[in-house]
Amino acid sequence: MIRYTDTIEGLTPANLVGFFVGWPNPPTPETHLEILRGSDEVVLAVDGETGNVVGFSSAVTDGVLASYIPLLEVLPRHRGKGIGRELVRRMLAKLDGFYMIDIACDRELVPFYTPFGLRPAHAMVIRNYDRQSGRAGREQERP
Ligand SMILES: CC(C)(COP(=O)(O)OP(=O)(O)OC[C@H]1O[C@@H](n2cnc3c(N)ncnc32)[C@H](O)[C@@H]1OP(=O)(O)O)[C@@H](O)C(=O)NCCC(=O)NCCS
């Protein structure tokens, strides 16, 4: 049984194992929790029995005009059951009212997002692969 929540209350790194599949230098579960804590919005799909997260999405916003959904992932063995779509549906509902709602994705995922009203557009990005596991020095920046 999967339940959905928009809070990280009570969540520990142990509940966040197995994400960032295929990333050569993935964030640790501890860093993953930090990412969720630093996001303006999160939606989690949680296994009702174990309390472990099986899918998540995060968003950052300026609170007025612009919002961006940097991360969406469902654990491989839970894919293809509608969890990804439900995470997107719930996240878009949270971001309703923003002028800009942006997601950068690979071309193959365009059909996944199109039914939600998202349309393809060009994006310019920087990817510092040596920082894929997290930003240097962030530990010092947090109080
Ligand atoms: C994309 C992702 C979140 C979808 O989660 P999910 O729970 O499997 O999604 P759903 O079950 O709701 O929907 C699955 C649909 O997405 C499509 N889909 C998922 N990943 C796809 C991919 N890489 N390429 C093409 N289609 C894809 C499936 O074909 C399926 O479509 P169908 O129902 O018409 O057959 C999941 O595949 C994932 O975590 N992928 C790795 C991370 C990723 O790519 N995230 C998106 C970042 S922009």
Side-chain angles (χ1 to χ4, degrees):
M1 181 72 174
I2 301 297
R3 64 179 170 85
Y4 293 87
T5 178
D6 59 4
T7 173
I8 60 167
E9 217 178 293
L11 205 64
T12 71
N15 299 128
L16 288 166
V17 173
F19 287 97
F20 303 102
V21 172
W23 289 38
N25 185 20
T28 62
E30 288 76 14
T31 303
H32 191 171
L33 184 55
E34 233 182 293
I35 291 166
L36 297 177
R37 201 174 282 134
S39 300
D40 292 304
E41 302 286 358
V42 300
V43 184
L44 309 176
V46 178
D47 180 324
E49 282 180 18
T50 64
N52 291 334
V53 176
V54 302
F56 80 101
S57 179
S58 61
V60 291
T61 83
D62 60 17
V64 182
L65 278 193
S67 60
Y68 174 57
I69 301 176
L71 293 170
L72 167 74
E73 186 174 357
V74 174
L75 292 180
R77 68 193 172 86
H78 290 275
R79 288 180 194 169
K81 300 174 190 164
I83 296 173
R85 284 202 182 94
E86 184 61 16
L87 289 170
V88 173
R89 192 188 70 74
R90 287 173 182 254
M91 183 56 85
L92 290 178
K94 285 181 159 296
L95 300 176
D96 188 35
F98 278 98
Y99 169 59
M100 298 160 66
I101 304 174
D102 294 357
I103 296 173
C105 73
D106 292 340
R107 192 181 296 266
E108 63 188 20
L109 277 163
V110 167
F112 175 75
Y113 287 117
T114 304
F116 292 102
L118 288 143
R119 58 181 173 80
H122 294 290
M124 302 294 286
V125 305
I126 291 174
R127 295 288 182 266
N128 294 314
Y129 288 102
D130 59 332
R131 299 313 321 162
Q132 196 176 54
S133 62
R135 187 175 165 213
R138 68 185 194 287
E139 298 83 2
Q140 286 78 38
E141 288 169 16
R142 290 193 181 275

